[in-house]
Amino acid sequence: MKKIKVQQQVISLIAEGEPKWLPETIETSEAAAECFAHLGKLSHEECWIVGVNGHTQPIGCVLVSRGGSGATGLVPADIFKPLISMNARAFIMAHNHPSGDATPGNDDRETTFRIFEAGQLLGIPLLDHIVVSATGWCSMRQLEAAENDGPTIVEIPLEGDAGEALRALLNRMLGERDDA
């Protein structure tokens, strides 16, 4: 696995077959939940992202936040900086609930919505946010579809070139090449 350092953060770029717990592609909520099932055993919260290419193949995996037994301090910039660096086309986010209850709380829903909106603006859509516990998991994508009987987070595309323009601007702000 090749690692690059981006301002205090190490991004693991995934080589073929590494890490072993990530499948070749992540196309369903179930597949994403399987990737992060090991988080359910932790006694503290962690939030991870997996960047994927246009074929939903994992290209990078990053721990973006670690907290206590009840919360992590999650900031959208901590999520999108490594995704931009790895040139991700989309991503999956997962975090655990050490309490044993995978039901998303209001904070989880608000955070997911903020991250979803930021992803739409940047052209790096959030495909799903998985909440894992020792007793099971919950897909925010599936939950939203069931509750709203309408479009899910992944079905609302950003129109036009706004996403690419914002991505280029952020790359310049981060001191990276536009075509990286």
Side-chain angles (χ1 to χ4, degrees):
M1 180 178 313
K2 182 180 174 189
K3 294 184 179 187
I4 59 174
K5 190 169 184 174
V6 179
Q7 290 189 3
Q8 305 300 320
Q9 191 164 34
V10 175
I11 300 170
S12 297
L13 298 179
I14 298 170
E16 188 174 328
E18 294 183 49
K20 300 294 184 206
W21 52 273
L22 284 175
E24 189 173 313
T25 63
I26 305 174
E27 296 178 347
T28 65
S29 298
E30 291 79 8
E34 283 181 34
C35 294
F36 296 104
H38 64 279
L39 295 178
K41 300 174 186 173
L42 298 177
S43 60
H44 62 279
E45 280 201 16
E46 288 188 359
C47 183
W48 288 78
I49 55 170
V50 173
V52 296
N53 65 16
H55 302 286
T56 66
Q57 297 169 320
I59 57 172
C61 183
V62 180
L63 171 65
V64 291
S65 181
R66 179 178 283 144
S69 61
T72 68
L74 194 57
V75 178
D78 294 338
I79 291 172
F80 289 100
K81 190 172 187 178
L83 290 169
I84 291 167
S85 295
M86 69 178 77
N87 201 26
R89 295 294 175 223
F91 72 104
I92 298 157
M93 184 166 68
H95 83 279
N96 64 311
H97 281 178
S99 68
D101 183 2
T103 305
N106 288 336
D107 286 347
D108 294 328
R109 291 169 185 262
E110 289 172 17
T111 298
T112 301
F113 184 72
R114 274 194 353 258
I115 300 301
F116 164 73
E117 284 188 320
Q120 290 297 103
L121 286 172
L122 295 171
I124 308 172
L126 172 62
L127 299 178
D128 206 344
H129 180 179
I130 305 293
V131 181
V132 180
S133 76
T135 59
W137 59 274
C138 179
S139 159
M140 298 287 282
R141 175 181 171 196
Q142 290 178 353
L143 182 64
E144 179 184 354
E147 289 177 348
N148 297 329
D149 197 31
T152 64
I153 56 178
V154 70
E155 295 171 341
I156 305 171
L158 179 66
E159 307 229 356
D161 295 328
E164 288 300 319
L166 281 171
R167 179 183 223 155
L169 174 64
L170 272 171
N171 281 341
R172 284 193 302 275
M173 289 171 60
L174 293 171
E176 300 169 2
R177 298 187 346 238
D178 287 346
D179 59 349

